[in-house]
Amino acid sequence: MESITNTAADVTVSMDSDGNPDGFEKVKSKKSQKRKRDAGEVDMDTGAVKRPSFPPISGDQLRGGADEMRKVPVPAHRYTPLKENWLKIFTPIVENLQLQVRFNLKTRNVEIKTCKETQDISALTKAADFVKAFVLGFQVEDALALIRLDELFLESFDVTDVKPLKGDHLSRAIGRIAGKGGKTKFTIENVTKTRIVLADTKIHLLGSFQNIKMARTAICNLILGSPPSKVYGNIRAVASRAAERF
């Protein structure tokens, strides 16, 4: 007990004026260190840190010198329309987008390739979408909008993706989408400002993202069994709301 008391007294005597014992440093707690480190990081984030500025890259540098190619397969039933409309397809791709295009008779593919004259980086994608839209069954004039406008898209889905129908039930669902003489399909196209292609059980849509969404909802309701009159009312209400918003 006496030795313990003496040791405590020695420690008390050896404290300097700052309250620290001679030869020892006061250890800071980990919590206070972490707080200071976090505060330092916040100061660094809020400080005047310059963002890196990169100059725009030209088309030649981005392509890296190597020419890119896209291939669009053409099914047998689209050979004749492709042959008849080849000049309308060929002209905008070569003259407007500055690309090279050919139809490979062996592989039955439309091959689109970049060249030295190609300026726009997205030209190859636009041309591939344009040819794909025509192959899916859209008119050349409608498909041309994919080249002229940036915010247009293609979307495809199957009737059986919405509801697994078979036999006459599937035929009736496709008939509800088309309507008598194509009336229902034309009405949906005009109200939603889209283009629709019915190819057997496949449905292809061309338009802006919002318009495709409206048309898809209407078509899905028809597949599920809603009467056309109810679908007309719904899409007109949605279209009028969208028009007011913009």
Side-chain angles (χ1 to χ4, degrees):
M1 289 295 290
E2 291 178 1
S3 61
I4 295 169
T5 309
N6 293 336
T7 309
D10 295 340
V11 171
T12 309
V13 170
S14 62
M15 298 285 282
D16 59 8
S17 58
D18 296 330
N20 292 328
D22 294 331
F24 292 99
E25 291 182 5
K26 190 176 180 180
V27 179
K28 296 176 183 177
S29 66
K30 290 184 179 180
K31 286 185 180 180
S32 62
Q33 287 180 358
K34 189 177 179 183
R35 281 197 209 101
K36 286 185 179 180
R37 199 184 306 122
D38 292 343
E41 287 176 2
V42 170
D43 292 341
M44 285 177 68
D45 291 340
T46 54
V49 179
K50 291 184 179 179
R51 289 185 177 181
S53 60
F54 299 106
I57 300 175
S58 65
D60 296 334
Q61 289 175 318
L62 197 64
R63 282 193 288 112
D67 292 330
E68 294 181 31
M69 181 186 280
R70 295 282 177 89
K71 296 179 182 180
V72 182
V74 182
H77 69 279
R78 296 299 290 171
Y79 293 158
T80 305
L82 184 72
K83 189 177 178 181
E84 291 172 354
N85 295 283
W86 181 250
L87 195 63
K88 293 180 183 177
I89 295 167
F90 168 87
T91 307
I93 292 174
V94 174
E95 292 184 0
N96 297 347
L97 298 177
Q98 309 292 324
L99 296 167
Q100 296 175 352
V101 62
R102 72 173 182 179
F103 180 62
N104 193 326
L105 292 169
K106 289 184 179 179
T107 59
R108 299 291 187 179
N109 288 335
V110 175
E111 297 176 353
I112 307 162
K113 188 180 177 184
T114 58
C115 58
K116 292 180 181 179
E117 288 77 21
T118 308
Q119 300 295 326
D120 190 5
I121 299 159
S122 62
L124 192 63
T125 305
K126 285 182 180 179
D129 288 343
F130 166 56
V131 175
K132 187 182 176 185
F134 177 78
V135 166
L136 290 175
F138 292 98
Q139 297 291 324
V140 179
E141 292 75 17
D142 296 332
L144 265 174
L146 286 164
I147 291 177
R148 292 175 182 158
L149 302 171
D150 290 330
E151 60 275 1
L152 291 186
F153 305 95
L154 281 170
E155 185 171 329
S156 302
F157 65 95
D158 204 300
V159 174
T160 53
D161 293 341
V162 181
K163 192 177 182 183
L165 300 170
K166 292 179 182 178
D168 291 340
H169 298 290
L170 181 60
S171 303
R172 279 193 289 271
I174 296 167
R176 279 197 299 276
I177 297 167
K180 188 178 180 181
K183 180 185 172 184
T184 307
K185 182 174 85 79
F186 293 141
T187 305
I188 295 172
E189 284 182 343
N190 293 334
V191 173
T192 60
K193 296 175 184 174
T194 56
R195 287 290 175 267
I196 301 168
V197 168
L198 291 173
D200 195 21
T201 60
K202 289 277 185 185
I203 298 165
H204 309 293
L205 302 172
L206 170 65
S208 66
F209 178 80
Q210 199 67 32
N211 293 344
I212 284 176
K213 186 181 175 184
M214 282 194 289
R216 188 177 61 235
T217 304
I219 291 167
C220 289
N221 289 337
L222 287 169
I223 293 168
L224 293 170
S226 296
S229 57
K230 186 177 180 181
V231 173
Y232 291 160
N234 289 343
I235 58 173
R236 284 203 179 98
V238 172
S240 63
R241 282 202 300 271
E244 287 172 5
R245 195 181 303 137
F246 292 110

